[in-house]
Amino acid sequence: MRHVVGGRDHVAISIRTIAVDALAFDAVGVVMAHNHPSGDATPSARDLAFTRALAAGLRTLEVVLVDHLVIAGDRVTSLRTMGVV
């Protein structure tokens, strides 16, 4: 598990960093989660684009992006359920 502190409206973590962690743990799957302090669990356009790129990148390493969760208060949005992953 990696905890990354972001700015007011974004978190800077690279696909490479996530891939390195997945490979270091010999993972076959990855679950991502991040919070939206705004209270709105709707994924942003950046969230959607990053998730698609991450899933594609991990696939080349035979690692599955199991889900990417957006958490806002007591609400959670699953990008897998939305069909993004």
Side-chain angles (χ1 to χ4, degrees):
M1 183 167 115
R2 178 182 293 269
H3 181 244
V4 179
V5 178
R8 178 175 153 82
D9 65 348
H10 72 282
V11 173
I13 187 166
S14 69
I15 292 170
R16 177 186 174 111
T17 299
I18 296 166
V20 166
D21 284 350
L23 293 173
F25 286 99
D26 198 26
V28 296
V30 170
V31 175
M32 295 283 302
H34 76 278
N35 71 317
H36 279 186
S38 67
D40 182 359
T42 305
S44 69
R46 289 170 91 177
D47 293 337
L48 299 173
F50 180 79
T51 301
R52 288 182 180 110
L54 177 60
L58 289 175
R59 236 182 340 266
T60 66
L61 301 172
E62 299 178 354
V63 177
V64 174
L65 180 58
V66 176
D67 207 343
H68 183 172
L69 305 170
V70 179
I71 302 164
D74 62 352
R75 294 185 51 219
V76 177
T77 299
S78 161
L79 276 74
R80 171 158 300 283
T81 300
M82 292 178 62
V84 177
V85 178

